[in-house]
Amino acid sequence: MGQTLHCTGGTGLVTTRDGKVILMRAGDTVHTPPGEEHWHGATSESLMCHLALVEHDDGHTATWLEPVSDQDYQAAHSKTHPQPTAEQR
């Protein structure tokens, strides 16, 4: 079922293990499928406030992995892809 992230303020990044980066702004929602390793957090220029909905049917909610390295965090900033707006969907 995965995880759904909804940005309520600021600007953030959602980055998958394979290097895809999505830029989230207030009002954007991003869904990550079950089993997809990812990290999410604020950009270096902004705070981010978000709601995270973790859906499961087996009692297992999330697996926390290693901390994001400074190198991976900086690399994500160079590859951001804005979420499509409602008009673009």
Side-chain angles (χ1 to χ4, degrees), residues 74-88:
Q74 292 304 324
H77 281 80
S78 67
K79 302 190 279 188
T80 58
H81 301 287
Q83 280 284 92
T85 65
E87 296 79 36
Q88 295 170 324

PDB file of all heavy atoms in Angstrom, residues 74-88:
ATOM      1  N   GLN A  74      23.049  16.706  -1.060  1.00  0.00           N
ATOM      2  CA  GLN A  74      23.447  17.724  -2.038  1.00  0.00           C
ATOM      3  C   GLN A  74      23.159  17.262  -3.464  1.00  0.00           C
ATOM      4  O   GLN A  74      22.715  18.053  -4.298  1.00  0.00           O
ATOM      5  CB  GLN A  74      24.935  18.066  -1.876  1.00  0.00           C
ATOM      6  CG  GLN A  74      25.251  18.780  -0.582  1.00  0.00           C
ATOM      7  CD  GLN A  74      24.447  20.060  -0.386  1.00  0.00           C
ATOM      8  OE1 GLN A  74      24.163  20.788  -1.325  1.00  0.00           O
ATOM      9  NE2 GLN A  74      24.046  20.322   0.845  1.00  0.00           N
ATOM     10  N   ALA A  75      23.389  15.991  -3.763  1.00  0.00           N
ATOM     11  CA  ALA A  75      23.124  15.464  -5.106  1.00  0.00           C
ATOM     12  C   ALA A  75      21.640  15.566  -5.452  1.00  0.00           C
ATOM     13  O   ALA A  75      21.274  15.869  -6.590  1.00  0.00           O
ATOM     14  CB  ALA A  75      23.598  14.019  -5.210  1.00  0.00           C
ATOM     15  N   ALA A  76      20.765  15.350  -4.473  1.00  0.00           N
ATOM     16  CA  ALA A  76      19.323  15.423  -4.725  1.00  0.00           C
ATOM     17  C   ALA A  76      18.908  16.827  -5.149  1.00  0.00           C
ATOM     18  O   ALA A  76      18.020  16.995  -5.979  1.00  0.00           O
ATOM     19  CB  ALA A  76      18.553  14.998  -3.473  1.00  0.00           C
ATOM     20  N   HIS A  77      19.556  17.844  -4.601  1.00  0.00           N
ATOM     21  CA  HIS A  77      19.211  19.223  -4.961  1.00  0.00           C
ATOM     22  C   HIS A  77      19.500  19.523  -6.425  1.00  0.00           C
ATOM     23  O   HIS A  77      18.857  20.381  -7.023  1.00  0.00           O
ATOM     24  CB  HIS A  77      19.968  20.218  -4.074  1.00  0.00           C
ATOM     25  CG  HIS A  77      19.355  20.371  -2.730  1.00  0.00           C
ATOM     26  ND1 HIS A  77      19.564  19.474  -1.721  1.00  0.00           N
ATOM     27  CD2 HIS A  77      18.526  21.313  -2.232  1.00  0.00           C
ATOM     28  CE1 HIS A  77      18.893  19.858  -0.661  1.00  0.00           C
ATOM     29  NE2 HIS A  77      18.249  20.971  -0.939  1.00  0.00           N
ATOM     30  N   SER A  78      20.438  18.826  -7.019  1.00  0.00           N
ATOM     31  CA  SER A  78      20.783  19.091  -8.417  1.00  0.00           C
ATOM     32  C   SER A  78      19.893  18.340  -9.395  1.00  0.00           C
ATOM     33  O   SER A  78      19.985  18.557 -10.604  1.00  0.00           O
ATOM     34  CB  SER A  78      22.252  18.729  -8.674  1.00  0.00           C
ATOM     35  OG  SER A  78      22.447  17.335  -8.547  1.00  0.00           O
ATOM     36  N   LYS A  79      19.005  17.466  -8.883  1.00  0.00           N
ATOM     37  CA  LYS A  79      18.172  16.641  -9.775  1.00  0.00           C
ATOM     38  C   LYS A  79      16.676  16.767  -9.480  1.00  0.00           C
ATOM     39  O   LYS A  79      15.936  15.837  -9.696  1.00  0.00           O
ATOM     40  CB  LYS A  79      18.552  15.169  -9.620  1.00  0.00           C
ATOM     41  CG  LYS A  79      19.973  14.842  -9.902  1.00  0.00           C
ATOM     42  CD  LYS A  79      20.174  13.345  -9.965  1.00  0.00           C
ATOM     43  CE  LYS A  79      20.307  12.734  -8.604  1.00  0.00           C
ATOM     44  NZ  LYS A  79      20.697  11.314  -8.652  1.00  0.00           N
ATOM     45  N   THR A  80      16.215  17.888  -8.991  1.00  0.00           N
ATOM     46  CA  THR A  80      14.809  17.985  -8.592  1.00  0.00           C
ATOM     47  C   THR A  80      13.876  18.050  -9.786  1.00  0.00           C
ATOM     48  O   THR A  80      14.175  18.662 -10.797  1.00  0.00           O
ATOM     49  CB  THR A  80      14.553  19.216  -7.688  1.00  0.00           C
ATOM     50  OG1 THR A  80      14.946  20.387  -8.389  1.00  0.00           O
ATOM     51  CG2 THR A  80      15.311  19.098  -6.396  1.00  0.00           C
ATOM     52  N   HIS A  81      12.730  17.383  -9.644  1.00  0.00           N
ATOM     53  CA  HIS A  81      11.671  17.378 -10.647  1.00  0.00           C
ATOM     54  C   HIS A  81      10.386  17.801  -9.951  1.00  0.00           C
ATOM     55  O   HIS A  81       9.892  17.067  -9.107  1.00  0.00           O
ATOM     56  CB  HIS A  81      11.485  15.986 -11.247  1.00  0.00           C
ATOM     57  CG  HIS A  81      12.725  15.472 -11.899  1.00  0.00           C
ATOM     58  ND1 HIS A  81      13.182  15.952 -13.091  1.00  0.00           N
ATOM     59  CD2 HIS A  81      13.618  14.539 -11.506  1.00  0.00           C
ATOM     60  CE1 HIS A  81      14.298  15.323 -13.423  1.00  0.00           C
ATOM     61  NE2 HIS A  81      14.581  14.459 -12.468  1.00  0.00           N
ATOM     62  N   PRO A  82       9.842  18.984 -10.287  1.00  0.00           N
ATOM     63  CA  PRO A  82       8.608  19.425  -9.616  1.00  0.00           C
ATOM     64  C   PRO A  82       7.455  18.440  -9.865  1.00  0.00           C
ATOM     65  O   PRO A  82       7.377  17.824 -10.921  1.00  0.00           O
ATOM     66  CB  PRO A  82       8.305  20.774 -10.245  1.00  0.00           C
ATOM     67  CG  PRO A  82       9.568  21.201 -10.904  1.00  0.00           C
ATOM     68  CD  PRO A  82      10.319  19.957 -11.248  1.00  0.00           C
ATOM     69  N   GLN A  83       6.585  18.329  -8.885  1.00  0.00           N
ATOM     70  CA  GLN A  83       5.355  17.583  -9.054  1.00  0.00           C
ATOM     71  C   GLN A  83       4.494  18.269 -10.104  1.00  0.00           C
ATOM     72  O   GLN A  83       4.465  19.501 -10.159  1.00  0.00           O
ATOM     73  CB  GLN A  83       4.568  17.556  -7.740  1.00  0.00           C
ATOM     74  CG  GLN A  83       5.043  16.547  -6.756  1.00  0.00           C
ATOM     75  CD  GLN A  83       4.598  15.175  -7.167  1.00  0.00           C
ATOM     76  OE1 GLN A  83       5.306  14.469  -7.862  1.00  0.00           O
ATOM     77  NE2 GLN A  83       3.432  14.798  -6.763  1.00  0.00           N
ATOM     78  N   PRO A  84       3.741  17.521 -10.941  1.00  0.00           N
ATOM     79  CA  PRO A  84       2.820  18.173 -11.859  1.00  0.00           C
ATOM     80  C   PRO A  84       1.725  18.890 -11.082  1.00  0.00           C
ATOM     81  O   PRO A  84       1.293  18.405 -10.040  1.00  0.00           O
ATOM     82  CB  PRO A  84       2.252  17.029 -12.688  1.00  0.00           C
ATOM     83  CG  PRO A  84       2.598  15.786 -11.960  1.00  0.00           C
ATOM     84  CD  PRO A  84       3.729  16.086 -11.040  1.00  0.00           C
ATOM     85  N   THR A  85       1.305  20.030 -11.570  1.00  0.00           N
ATOM     86  CA  THR A  85       0.193  20.752 -10.926  1.00  0.00           C
ATOM     87  C   THR A  85      -1.107  20.023 -11.217  1.00  0.00           C
ATOM     88  O   THR A  85      -1.173  19.160 -12.099  1.00  0.00           O
ATOM     89  CB  THR A  85       0.099  22.196 -11.459  1.00  0.00           C
ATOM     90  OG1 THR A  85      -0.232  22.132 -12.839  1.00  0.00           O
ATOM     91  CG2 THR A  85       1.398  22.955 -11.239  1.00  0.00           C
ATOM     92  N   ALA A  86      -2.166  20.377 -10.503  1.00  0.00           N
ATOM     93  CA  ALA A  86      -3.466  19.753 -10.721  1.00  0.00           C
ATOM     94  C   ALA A  86      -3.915  19.895 -12.176  1.00  0.00           C
ATOM     95  O   ALA A  86      -4.506  18.989 -12.745  1.00  0.00           O
ATOM     96  CB  ALA A  86      -4.505  20.362  -9.784  1.00  0.00           C
ATOM     97  N   GLU A  87      -3.596  21.027 -12.790  1.00  0.00           N
ATOM     98  CA  GLU A  87      -3.976  21.250 -14.189  1.00  0.00           C
ATOM     99  C   GLU A  87      -3.201  20.338 -15.139  1.00  0.00           C
ATOM    100  O   GLU A  87      -3.674  20.002 -16.214  1.00  0.00           O
ATOM    101  CB  GLU A  87      -3.741  22.698 -14.590  1.00  0.00           C
ATOM    102  CG  GLU A  87      -4.573  23.721 -13.851  1.00  0.00           C
ATOM    103  CD  GLU A  87      -4.030  24.031 -12.454  1.00  0.00           C
ATOM    104  OE1 GLU A  87      -2.792  24.054 -12.266  1.00  0.00           O
ATOM    105  OE2 GLU A  87      -4.845  24.237 -11.543  1.00  0.00           O
ATOM    106  N   GLN A  88      -1.990  19.933 -14.749  1.00  0.00           N
ATOM    107  CA  GLN A  88      -1.155  19.088 -15.591  1.00  0.00           C
ATOM    108  C   GLN A  88      -1.468  17.609 -15.448  1.00  0.00           C
ATOM    109  O   GLN A  88      -1.053  16.818 -16.268  1.00  0.00           O
ATOM    110  CB  GLN A  88       0.327  19.317 -15.269  1.00  0.00           C
ATOM    111  CG  GLN A  88       0.814  20.709 -15.610  1.00  0.00           C
ATOM    112  CD  GLN A  88       2.203  20.953 -15.057  1.00  0.00           C
ATOM    113  OE1 GLN A  88       2.562  20.491 -13.993  1.00  0.00           O
ATOM    114  NE2 GLN A  88       2.991  21.724 -15.807  1.00  0.00           N
TER     115      GLN A  88
END
